């Protein structure tokens, strides 16, 4: 086994994505910087907006002060059924692929302790929350017969297809305490423990022009496998301005990730084709959330959350790879911005809920060299939605309260449209980042870029008990 870093040539930040494996950049933001936000069916129906409402264990996902709002104990479990579909369009053709998953999405529990004294402190409550989500994602792009590669042995092949394939999960376990002061001020703190597993590949297929046979290639340093664990802490406060209005604020520290990874490398002058292992340490952005809630009566409540990332992802530097990653995020990463709006209306024992959320694109415009549909290279093409883009989510839900027991259900529709770069893999005397098969090497100094539409349809069912 060999421990080594990616060898990356010095290039401007605007062109950095051409030197680094795109999936490393995508996973840094999409997985490690994006904590699982799968709560109960109620939480998900309201688009995860509960920062000033609180009242259950899902408060640990937004504002731990919400634990202090609870006046009774509660335990719940949530089944999640998710469908993730990517449709990738390139050179006039499209491939669509869906991933369906059923998981235990959330477990939550709150224990309330009423303080029977004349003190203004009314409750001290303890909460535990577990969130889990699949991060499986498959993007397959059709080929283009105009994109032809001529190998040094005289053989030629046309581009047949490309695929980014990711398996894995991301989970977050939180424990926290919340306090109620005079039924007007609520304070809370939480500790968050993360676990992740990523199995990622980046493959291309080329078809021989002479006999039509297919040859499969893997990007340098892929496939790779990562196992990570992380830690963060959160603080929050909720204050009542009046019986009908509340304001909340929360701060979550960066998540400090420790990531063990292994990957395949090819054509090394000493080791040839082999597997390497290494460790990376990543610090994700510090996040702040402000919230406002309007509670018209016991029948209607509305909550709005706004979350802003205050810092940028940063890797501990062990070599050139981490330096170039940090330079890229420093120059091109935009601080997270997300708005969530959720409402609940009660009709006797029925609960009707709805929500909407919007998350901004994580990157500034990026510039790359791109293959056109006729196979020529268009230089310095700028994209405002390269790799990832903004995200919209609509959700609805309903529930029924049996007094001590309750059952809730919800549906989410999450959409995003972005451009998907692949096939870049330049090889020269400074470094190797090409696509390799047992017989051939593909060196490419431009990207093919497809248009991807991502649609996620998520269903949640929660059963809970109040005591």
């Amino acid at each position: 086994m060999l421990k080594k870093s990616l060898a990356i040539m010095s290039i401007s930040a605007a062109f950095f994505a051409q030197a680094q494996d795109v999936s490393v950049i995508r996973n840094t933001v999409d997985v490690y910087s994006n904590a699982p936000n799968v709560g109960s069916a109620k939480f998900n129906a309201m688009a995860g907006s509960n920062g000033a409402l609180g009242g259950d264990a899902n408060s640990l996902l937004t504002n731990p002060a919400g634990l202090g709002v609870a006046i009774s104990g509660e335990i719940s479990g949530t089944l999640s059924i998710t469908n993730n579909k990517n449709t990738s369009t390139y050179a006039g053709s499209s491939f669509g692929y869906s991933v369906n998953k059923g998981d235990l999405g959330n477990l939550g529990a709150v224990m309330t302790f009423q303080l029977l004294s004349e003190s203004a402190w009314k409750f001290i409550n303890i909460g535990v929350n577990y969130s889990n989500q699949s991060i499986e994602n498959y993007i397959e792009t059709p080929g283009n017969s105009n994109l032809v590669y001529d190998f040094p042995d005289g053989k030629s092949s046309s581009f047949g297809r490309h695929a980014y394939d990711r398996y894995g999960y991301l989970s977050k376990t939180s424990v926290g305490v919340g306090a109620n002061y005079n039924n007007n001020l609520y304070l809370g703190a939480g500790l968050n423990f993360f676990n992740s597993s990523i199995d990622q590949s980046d493959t291309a297929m080329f078809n021989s022009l002479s006999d039509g046979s297919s040859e499969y290639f893997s990007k340098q340093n892929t496939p790779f496998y990562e196992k990570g664990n992380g830690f963060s802490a959160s603080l929050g406060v909720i204050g009542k301005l009046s019986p009908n209005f509340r304001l909340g604020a929360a701060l979550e520290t960066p998540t400090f990730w420790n990531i063990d990874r292994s990957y395949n490398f090819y054509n090394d002058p000493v080791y040839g084709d082999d597997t390497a292992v290494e460790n990376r340490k990543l610090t994700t952005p510090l996040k702040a959330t402000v919230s406002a809630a309007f509670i018209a009566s016991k029948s209607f409540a509305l909550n709005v959350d706004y979350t802003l990332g205050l810092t940028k992802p940063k890797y501990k530097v062990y070599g050139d790879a981490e330096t170039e990653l940090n330079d890229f995020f420093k120059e091109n990463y935009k601080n997270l911005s997300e708005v969530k709006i959720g409402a609940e209306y009660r009709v006797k024992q029925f609960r009707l809920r709805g929500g909407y959320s919007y998350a901004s694109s994580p990157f500034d415009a990026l510039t790359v060299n791109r293959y056109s549909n006729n196979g020529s290279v268009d230089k310095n093409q700028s994209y405002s939605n390269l790799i990832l883009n903004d995200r919209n989510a609509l959700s609805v839900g309903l529930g029924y309260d049996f007094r001590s027991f309750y059952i809730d259900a919800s549906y989410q529709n999450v959409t995003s449209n972005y451009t998907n770069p692949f096939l870049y893999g330049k090889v020269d005397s400074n470094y190797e980042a090409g696509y390799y098969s047992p017989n051939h090497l593909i060196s490419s100094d431009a990207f093919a870029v497809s248009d991807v539409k991502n649609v996620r349809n998520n269903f949640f069912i929660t059963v809970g008990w109040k005591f």
Side-chain angles (χ1 to χ4, degrees):
M1 305 290 280
L2 170 70
K3 179 178 176 64
K4 71 189 198 66
S5 294
L6 300 176
I8 299 177
M9 68 183 295
S10 247
I11 52 178
S12 68
F15 287 89
F16 175 80
Q18 297 184 197
Q20 181 61 273
D21 181 15
V22 171
S23 55
V24 173
I25 297 172
R26 177 181 284 120
N27 293 342
T28 300
V29 177
D30 191 34
V31 178
Y32 296 117
S33 300
N34 186 25
N37 208 32
V38 179
S40 66
K42 172 186 176 180
F43 178 88
N44 299 326
M46 297 175 66
S49 178
N50 74 345
L53 288 176
D56 59 28
N58 287 168
S59 300
L60 289 165
L61 294 173
T62 50
N63 185 346
L67 293 174
V69 178
I71 58 175
S72 64
E74 182 179 346
I75 185 169
S76 69
T78 300
L79 172 68
S80 66
I81 302 170
T82 61
N83 170 268
N84 181 17
K85 182 177 181 180
N86 287 305
T87 302
S88 183
T89 302
Y90 179 63
S93 299
S94 297
F95 280 164
Y97 190 87
S98 293
V99 176
N100 299 295
K101 285 288 183 180
D103 289 298
L104 177 63
N106 184 266
L107 290 172
V110 175
M111 296 289 293
T112 59
F113 300 91
Q114 188 172 6
L115 303 179
L116 302 177
S117 67
E118 295 183 0
S119 168
W121 295 100
K122 305 299 183 182
F123 283 90
I124 298 291
N125 302 332
I126 297 174
V128 179
N129 189 81
Y130 170 78
S131 288
N132 176 68
Q133 68 184 57
S134 168
I135 57 172
E136 185 171 342
N137 197 43
Y138 184 74
I139 310 168
E140 182 173 356
T141 301
N144 181 1
S145 59
N146 293 326
L147 195 55
V148 175
Y149 192 85
D150 298 318
F151 296 105
D153 59 8
K155 297 181 179 180
S156 298
S157 294
S158 62
F159 171 56
R161 72 160 188 87
H162 177 273
Y164 286 115
D165 195 3
R166 184 179 71 193
Y167 292 89
Y169 70 87
L170 177 65
S171 68
K172 177 182 180 181
T173 302
S174 303
V175 294
V177 60
N180 176 338
Y181 183 82
N182 205 33
N183 294 320
N184 286 313
L185 180 67
Y186 307 91
L187 304 173
L191 300 176
N192 309 298
F193 304 91
F194 299 84
N195 287 281
S196 67
S197 175
I198 298 176
D199 195 343
Q200 177 81 54
S201 65
D202 179 346
T203 58
M205 182 184 78
F206 278 73
N207 299 319
S208 171
L209 296 184
S210 60
D211 60 16
S213 62
S214 298
E215 189 171 7
Y216 290 85
F217 295 78
S218 290
K219 181 79 160 61
Q220 178 71 278
N221 301 305
T222 71
F224 64 80
Y225 174 75
E226 295 182 345
K227 190 82 171 178
N229 59 79
F231 168 81
S232 72
S234 54
L235 295 170
V237 60
I238 298 174
K240 280 187 179 180
L241 301 182
S242 72
N244 302 108
F245 290 96
R246 298 179 191 173
L247 293 179
L251 189 70
E252 183 174 354
T253 70
T255 301
F256 302 96
W257 282 99
N258 182 63
I259 304 166
D260 291 317
R261 69 193 311 263
S262 63
Y263 57 93
N264 290 3
F265 64 88
Y266 310 94
N267 203 38
D268 186 270
V270 177
Y271 298 95
D273 298 350
D274 207 341
T275 302
V277 296
E278 65 182 7
N279 175 267
R280 279 181 173 168
K281 289 180 169 47
L282 169 66
T283 302
T284 64
L286 169 72
K287 299 176 183 178
T289 300
V290 293
S291 308
F294 172 65
I295 305 170
S297 64
K298 291 184 178 181
S299 297
F300 179 76
L302 174 70
N303 188 90
V304 179
D305 293 340
Y306 175 71
T307 299
L308 179 66
L310 303 178
T311 57
K312 300 183 178 185
K314 185 176 183 180
Y315 284 90
K316 183 176 180 179
V317 174
Y318 293 105
D320 291 340
E322 292 83 12
T323 297
E324 295 290 354
L325 280 166
N326 290 340
D327 287 346
F328 171 78
F329 288 116
K330 181 179 179 180
E331 295 296 328
N332 299 291
Y333 181 82
K334 293 194 299 188
N335 290 344
L336 167 76
S337 178
E338 184 173 11
V339 176
K340 297 181 290 186
I341 304 171
E344 179 184 63
Y345 182 70
R346 300 183 178 186
V347 182
K348 295 184 179 180
Q349 292 172 281
F350 286 96
R351 311 287 187 258
L352 303 176
R353 304 178 179 111
Y356 168 77
S357 69
Y358 169 80
S360 63
S361 173
F363 299 123
D364 290 318
L366 294 169
T367 302
V368 298
N369 295 335
R370 177 197 68 187
Y371 289 112
S372 65
N373 289 346
N374 64 15
S376 63
V377 175
D378 297 327
K379 293 186 177 295
N380 302 340
Q381 298 298 301
S382 180
Y383 292 90
S384 62
N385 61 347
L386 198 69
I387 305 176
L388 293 167
N389 197 17
D390 54 10
R391 184 182 70 246
N392 290 272
L394 285 169
S395 54
V396 293
L398 54 86
Y400 190 85
D401 193 340
F402 298 91
R403 296 187 179 180
S404 294
F405 292 92
Y406 62 87
I407 183 169
D408 296 321
S410 64
Y411 163 74
Q412 282 182 337
N413 175 260
V414 187
T415 59
S416 183
N417 294 280
Y418 58 92
T419 48
N420 177 47
F422 57 92
L423 212 59
Y424 180 91
K426 191 172 181 180
V427 177
D428 59 24
S429 59
N430 294 312
Y431 73 107
E432 293 197 11
Y435 282 75
Y436 294 83
S437 78
N439 302 312
H440 289 116
L441 157 67
I442 291 177
S443 176
S444 170
D445 59 0
F447 277 111
V449 181
S450 68
D451 295 308
V452 176
K453 181 178 182 179
N454 176 249
V455 179
R456 303 186 185 192
N457 294 294
N458 304 324
F459 300 87
F460 305 95
I461 299 175
T462 297
V463 177
W465 173 46
K466 294 182 178 181
F467 54 91

